[in-house]
Amino acid sequence: MAGIQMKNIVKKYGDGFPAVNDVSIDIADGEFVILVGPSGCGKSTLLRMIVGLEDITSGDMVIGEKRVNDLAPRDRNLAMVFQNYALYPHLTVYENIAFPLRLAGASDADVDAKVREASATLELDEHLDRKPGNLSGGQRQRVAMGRAIVRDADAFLFDEPLSNLDAKLRGQMRTEIARLQKKLGITTVYVTHDQTEAMTLGDRVAVLKRGVLQQLASPRELYENPGNLFVAGFIGSPPMNFLPAEVDGTKVQLPFGTVEIPADRAEKVAGRGLLIAGIRPGAFEDASLVDEAKAPTGSTFRAKVEVVEWLGNETYAYLPFEAPPEVQKQLEQLEKDLDGDQLRTQLVISLDGASRVREGDEAEIWVDTSQMHLFDPATGENLTVDRTRAGRIPELDGPATRTTA
Amino acid sequence: MGNGSALRKAGIAVGALLILVWCLLPVAWIISLSFKSQESITNGSPGFFPADGGFAGWDNYVAAWENDQFRRAIFNSIGISLIATLLSVIVATLAAYAIARLEFKGKKLVLTTALAIAMFPVVSLVGPLFDLWRAIGLYDTWPGLIIPYMSFTLPLAIWTLSAFFREIPWEMEQAAQVDGATSWQAFRKVIVPLAAPGVFTAAILTFFFAWNDFVFGISLTSTEAARPIPASLSFFVGADPFNRPASLLAAGAVIATIPIIVIVLVFQRKIVAGLTSGAVKG
Ligand SMILES: Nc1ncnc2c1ncn2[C@@H]1O[C@H](COP(=O)(O)OP(=O)(O)O)[C@@H](O)[C@H]1O
Ligand SMILES: [Mg+2]
């Protein structure tokens, strides 16, 4: 077992485009770290550089105490689960799991003991003599995991392991992986573009955008203190709402009316003019359902509700608004970065299932402004971020940590 | 619907029967011929079954087998064809793997040259090779035949195999490397088994070419030291040079077919086994 340190890792493919650009991540021994980001942001490339399937253009990859940049995959002692599982179709499940052991020259007795232990853990006992081609997606997934856990690897690497499974199985396998990692206590790097997996599995999550590390923090820190617009928009489902905001003292002018924000936040954005306010759907509530005790931490406003989706335990309501061009442009760019296609500016709010708000109503909505963030529309930087509870945000650390050109 | 499919089944059966008859009739006729006595053929015995008194039993087979030159030719053919096949498949597998996996300068050139060689008329090479082989001492030796067989079968084998290799996902190999395999181990334990159907297809094609070749066999040999079966059969002459011993030839031809059938049956099982174990994802 070992920790993994990435220092200023850069990867340029043949065309000179940096698929991974100056990424530094320090993974402690036994830690579960997620690499997350929209498709094409360089997650797989980074993972493949850890395991040695891709050359590192510059920077240092250190596993344990050893710099491994120039080591072949087989000399790095890492186990990887591929997106398409990459099982050997000509071998039985047993031999698939035994493959790394056989290569290492283990004795038959040793191989048998370890394979059976792994197959018992993954409930594959009755499939050991079958070929992968005859297994279901979930079973293949487990065989791939078996092949990984059977050896005493220094770390596990997963590349979107659940993306080929249906939703129900994905949920099951997700808990399975979490359980297994806890049990084995092995350093794990897990690539996904699914933010549920990112939020539930990882000790820490690294958010990447176009090859650049945006923020490295615990799931809660990412959710509560996103470093910039991109992270704020990527983490959370339904995503955070972004509204044009004009700050004057502790008063913030939103398209739906004026709300009050806490003084400490107001201080950070004093005199900045037009900003983008980020408010999570869950920060809103039907004003008539808010506790007396909670009400003072937020403000209320009245707005027309266009669409209502009642889901039983909660209700989603959609409120359209107009944004000025500066904000509009930044939001469109953000949508592009996030792989999204939502072109309308609308507020999505999540209300209690008991709410009686109807489509077309002019509803009284309460918003918890203590959770509201304010972003610079030009740079996307989060001006109200609490740096003590936001993990690491390379962008804000300044150029000091950057050593490579 | 049921009617239509029944009709279709019948059509397929009739078609298959026609093709079978078309292909197997000459074979059946050779077998029939090989059981007729030489005299009855000279006297004219046009029927499929031997005329009265014209049945020779195993006589022709015994006579062919007792011919030392023919026995030696069988040995030559089997040896030369197997060695040519083995070498050709090994070289083609390595070459095809490189072509499928590596980006290198001149890859197109290699592939087009290979194709050009495959299209080259065999006969045009016989003269030069004859001279060359005499000069360097390869005339009338096994290598003297193995080398031209390889050069004519390699291109097809390389094309067939590189198509197979391209179908195998890169990830297979990368998984093997992460599991601790060297490039060579990954190739041998994962890639080659997965390409087995292609390897055996290439092997069968090569073997057929070598086994059936007549032009090189007759031109580049002079004694039984290297003469293969097809060439050797042309030396079957009876007492009367104007009246070739047809029944003896037929028996020789049948004997020459047996190894081919055995080899096809053996390889065919491998091909089928390889094809059914192919599925990777889904
Ligand atoms: N072999 C390659 N050659 C050139 N560019 C590549 C190669 N592999 C990936 N890329 C590029 O690198 C970027 C990151 O790819 P990847 O790491 O696969 O993204 P992700 O896994 O996050 O979806 C993409 O823009 C992709 O087009
Ligand atoms: Mg990927």
Side-chain angles (χ1 to χ4, degrees):
Chain A
M1 266 184 262
I4 301 174
Q5 281 170 282
M6 293 169 238
K7 294 182 197 156
N8 306 103
I9 297 284
V10 176
K11 172 70 193 186
K12 289 194 172 125
Y13 281 112
D15 53 4
F17 175 79
V20 171
N21 201 353
D22 199 18
V23 169
S24 300
I25 301 177
D26 216 336
I27 302 172
D29 189 3
E31 196 180 12
F32 198 142
V33 168
I34 309 279
L35 303 179
V36 73
S39 147
C41 70
K43 315 176 288 287
S44 298
T45 303
L46 191 55
L47 194 76
R48 294 164 58 81
M49 283 192 285
I50 300 176
V51 79
L53 293 173
E54 214 71 75
D55 287 334
I56 298 168
T57 308
S58 73
D60 295 312
M61 183 71 68
V62 178
I63 299 176
E65 303 290 291
K66 206 161 57 181
R67 183 175 183 273
V68 298
N69 285 44
D70 302 318
L71 290 186
R74 80 189 124 92
D75 298 321
R76 299 194 188 190
N77 195 28
L78 304 172
M80 175 155 171
V81 175
F82 290 79
Q83 189 167 2
N84 292 326
Y85 319 136
L87 301 178
Y88 310 120
H90 60 296
L91 299 178
T92 59
V93 167
Y94 184 100
E95 284 303 325
N96 260 285
I97 298 176
F99 194 79
L101 299 173
R102 299 237 189 261
L103 285 173
S107 71
D108 280 349
D110 207 15
V111 168
D112 196 62
K114 285 187 170 160
V115 170
R116 292 198 186 276
E117 191 191 331
S119 91
T121 310
L122 293 163
E123 290 166 22
L124 282 169
D125 285 339
E126 70 250 57
H127 305 298
L128 283 177
D129 295 324
R130 299 174 72 189
K131 292 271 177 73
N134 304 326
L135 300 179
S136 72
Q139 288 164 343
R140 286 180 207 190
Q141 167 68 54
R142 294 211 296 273
V143 177
M145 303 237 308
R147 197 170 62 183
I149 64 171
V150 76
R151 16 191 303 232
D152 300 314
D154 283 339
F156 286 160
L157 308 173
F158 294 86
D159 191 353
E160 309 211 17
L162 308 182
S163 60
N164 284 341
L165 302 180
D166 58 52
K168 181 158 170 261
L169 210 50
R170 206 177 304 157
Q172 286 171 4
M173 286 311 293
R174 200 173 61 219
T175 31
E176 183 75 1
I177 289 176
R179 192 175 59 82
L180 211 60
Q181 201 269 347
K182 291 254 154 49
K183 185 177 143 200
L184 302 172
I186 288 188
T187 313
T188 303
V189 185
Y190 185 106
V191 163
T192 179
H193 66 258
D194 178 297
Q195 56 133 332
T196 315
E197 284 169 31
M199 297 298 273
T200 52
L201 283 174
D203 295 326
R204 281 192 303 160
V205 179
V207 184
L208 293 163
K209 171 184 147 191
R210 283 195 237 120
V212 179
L213 179 61
Q214 303 292 305
Q215 190 169 6
L216 175 62
S218 73
R220 177 171 289 274
E221 287 170 336
L222 282 182
Y223 189 82
E224 293 179 349
N225 270 303
N228 58 30
L229 269 182
F230 177 83
V231 176
F234 190 80
I235 301 292
S237 171
M240 186 182 257
N241 295 293
F242 297 113
L243 309 163
E246 205 105 43
V247 183
D248 178 18
T250 59
K251 290 198 191 318
V252 179
Q253 171 79 43
L254 297 175
F256 305 99
T258 306
V259 298
E260 288 272 337
I261 55 169
D264 57 328
R265 294 202 174 209
E267 207 173 295
K268 289 179 182 165
V269 296
R272 293 297 288 253
L274 183 63
L275 298 173
I276 295 178
I279 315 172
R280 299 220 174 263
F284 295 91
E285 191 48 272
D286 184 336
S288 62
L289 297 171
V290 178
D291 280 355
E292 286 297 320
K294 234 172 101 185
T297 63
S299 311
T300 59
F301 61 88
R302 295 191 67 84
K304 198 168 147 74
V305 176
E306 192 182 45
V307 178
V308 174
E309 290 173 352
W310 183 73
L311 300 175
N313 61 337
E314 60 184 341
T315 303
Y316 288 133
Y318 298 83
L319 294 69
F321 65 86
E322 293 295 327
E326 305 99 293
V327 172
Q328 184 70 30
K329 223 174 100 212
Q330 175 74 329
L331 292 182
E332 275 167 17
Q333 179 58 41
L334 181 65
E335 275 304 322
K336 235 180 262 157
D337 289 344
L338 292 170
D339 269 354
D341 50 13
Q342 178 203 334
L343 289 168
R344 305 199 38 204
T345 44
Q346 62 177 357
L347 185 67
V348 182
I349 63 178
S350 143
L351 308 175
D352 195 288
S355 168
R356 294 283 161 185
V357 172
R358 297 263 193 83
E359 281 173 13
D361 281 358
E362 169 110 345
E364 171 119 35
I365 309 288
W366 173 86
V367 54
D368 179 359
T369 48
S370 68
Q371 295 176 35
M372 182 165 106
H373 284 287
L374 289 159
F375 301 87
D376 183 329
T379 62
E381 182 190 326
N382 183 356
L383 302 168
T384 50
V385 69
D386 179 355
R387 290 297 300 277
T388 58
R389 286 190 286 126
R392 192 158 69 77
I393 307 169
E395 215 177 342
L396 301 184
D397 290 341
T401 57
R402 304 193 173 203
T403 52
T404 46
Chain B
M1 186 66 210
N3 213 352
S5 79
L7 207 69
R8 221 167 101 166
K9 260 190 194 151
I12 289 175
V14 170
L17 204 69
L18 270 177
I19 293 174
L20 267 182
V21 170
W22 174 263
C23 293
L24 289 183
L25 194 65
V27 177
W29 214 264
I30 281 191
I31 294 174
S32 133
L33 212 54
S34 70
F35 284 109
K36 290 176 183 172
S37 72
Q38 186 57 43
E39 295 79 44
S40 73
I41 291 177
T42 317
N43 297 339
S45 167
F48 183 77
F49 293 103
D52 278 345
F55 183 64
W58 295 101
D59 285 358
N60 290 319
Y61 286 91
V62 172
W65 185 251
E66 277 178 352
N67 181 332
D68 269 345
Q69 292 214 3
F70 187 64
R71 274 220 303 268
R72 178 71 205 184
I74 294 178
F75 175 65
N76 285 339
S77 262
I78 293 180
I80 291 172
S81 302
L82 281 183
I83 294 175
T85 304
L86 193 71
L87 289 179
S88 179
V89 165
I90 291 175
V91 173
T93 306
L94 297 175
Y97 181 68
I99 285 168
R101 281 294 190 249
L102 303 179
E103 280 309 323
F104 58 88
K105 269 213 175 92
K107 185 155 126 180
K108 273 240 167 68
L109 186 77
V110 171
L111 279 173
T112 32
T113 314
L115 204 61
I117 291 174
M119 294 192 291
F120 215 71
V122 173
V123 185
S124 62
L125 268 187
V126 169
L129 270 185
F130 179 78
D131 270 348
L132 186 63
W133 273 194
R134 298 265 293 213
I136 61 175
L138 280 178
Y139 181 72
D140 201 23
T141 61
W142 279 23
L145 286 179
I146 291 173
I147 292 171
Y149 290 167
M150 278 179 67
S151 59
F152 274 95
T153 53
L154 264 178
L156 198 61
I158 290 176
W159 276 76
T160 315
L161 278 168
S162 62
F164 266 91
F165 284 138
R166 266 195 286 265
E167 289 300 305
I168 300 173
W170 251 122
E171 277 191 354
M172 290 282 110
E173 216 169 338
Q174 296 175 338
Q177 284 180 13
V178 173
D179 282 344
T182 60
S183 299
W184 171 246
Q185 283 173 319
F187 176 69
R188 196 167 53 83
K189 298 197 178 193
V190 176
I191 302 300
V192 172
L194 288 181
V199 172
F200 286 106
T201 308
I204 284 196
L205 290 176
T206 308
F207 192 85
F208 279 4
F209 181 90
W211 189 263
N212 288 335
D213 166 73
F214 177 74
V215 178
F216 287 121
I218 195 90
S219 321
L220 301 179
T221 62
S222 58
T223 67
E224 65 264 33
R227 187 179 291 138
I229 295 174
S232 166
L233 284 179
S234 72
F235 283 83
F236 271 28
V237 261
D240 178 358
F242 296 104
N243 198 356
R244 308 281 301 280
S247 53
L248 206 60
L249 273 172
V254 172
I255 294 176
T257 313
I258 292 169
I260 279 281
I261 292 174
V262 171
I263 287 200
V264 167
L265 288 181
V266 169
F267 280 12
Q268 195 185 33
R269 286 170 68 166
K270 290 280 184 192
I271 290 177
V272 172
L275 288 175
T276 49
S277 66
V280 178
K281 54 175 206 172

